[in-house]
Amino acid sequence: MAEIVLATRNQGKVREVKRIFRKLLPAARFVSLAGFPKAREVRETGNTLEENAGKKARYAAGVSGLPALAEDSGIFVDALGGRPGVKSSRYSSKGDAANNKKMLHELRGVPAGKRGAAYKCVAALAVPGGRVFFARGECRGKIGFVEKGKNGFGYDPLFIPAGFAKTFAELGPRVKDGMSHRKRALKRILPAVKRLA
Ligand code: IMP
């Protein structure tokens, strides 16, 4: 199977993508974009997850000459009109811990029944000089009142998936990988990845 460049520097995502693929397609071999000296950071200036994922995948395929898999994801909170959405990583401009504090602050006084949210993910697979394939995944849940749990990354200590009473950070990788937005998007892009072989 061809090597695939993983076009992300977010270590939480790298860990999850590799873990998910170990189950979906154990033969897949990933290399990091960091191994290509010419590669630089792609600015996520798009207004949609599709735009950013496509841009990252196309850039990585171009600079490496290999098929490239990228993803863009975010958390869309109902009571905040869908914010922070595509801007989730830059919500507070001060990193994951500050993002979670800001979200709790913005949701103060919002009752349990109105704290609905969705994690969304768009995966993009770009073939050098060729097409870009896209796939979407979503996971609904709600935002808790305090941070709980040590697993995962980003908003996981706040996100309680539908049907559960604990956060993704408490539930751990097995539960998260079974239902996450990332798992759903990667599963849908699997046929395009298999065609690379
Ligand atoms: P980006 O796709 O690099 O723009 O970053 C997406 C941001 O959304 C991450 O930095 C996290 O803040 C958040 N996010 C996306 N997926 C997850 C997840 O599975 N767990 C926790 N936070 C996530």
Side-chain angles (χ1 to χ4, degrees), residues 2 25 93 112 117 158 160 167:
L25 188 63
S93 331
L158 287 181
I160 302 168
T167 67

Side-chain angles (χ1 to χ4, degrees), residues 13 44 72-74 88-89 119 153-156 176 181-182:
K13 290 184 182 182
E44 297 184 2
D72 203 48
S73 48
S88 293
S89 62
Y119 267 141
F153 66 98
Y155 298 92
D156 286 345
K176 183 175 181 187
H181 50 316
R182 191 159 291 108

Side-chain angles (χ1 to χ4, degrees), residues 98-118:
N99 285 346
N100 288 340
K101 299 254 169 318
K102 179 171 176 179
M103 183 163 292
L104 285 177
H105 186 70
E106 279 212 89
L107 291 179
R108 70 199 181 282
V110 177
K114 296 204 167 139
R115 297 176 78 93

Side-chain angles (χ1 to χ4, degrees), residues 66-86:
L66 293 172
L69 182 67
E71 67 92 88
D72 203 48
S73 48
I75 192 159
F76 294 70
V77 179
D78 301 346
L80 302 179
R83 284 188 303 116
V86 70

Side-chain angles (χ1 to χ4, degrees), residues 6 9 12 20 22 27 44 49-50 53 55 58 62 95 97 99 106 119 122 126 129 164 172 178 181 190 195:
L6 211 47
R9 287 170 199 270
I20 290 166
R22 262 200 298 280
E44 297 184 2
L49 299 177
E50 274 84 0
K55 191 174 165 190
R58 248 183 246 108
N99 285 346
E106 279 212 89
Y119 267 141
V122 171
F164 290 82
H181 50 316
L190 195 59
R195 283 198 294 274

Side-chain angles (χ1 to χ4, degrees), residues 38-58:
K38 279 195 202 149
R40 55 168 180 79
E41 187 99 29
V42 175
R43 286 186 58 216
E44 297 184 2
T45 50
N47 290 318
T48 63
L49 299 177
E50 274 84 0
E51 265 182 74
N52 285 336
K55 191 174 165 190
K56 287 187 273 189
R58 248 183 246 108

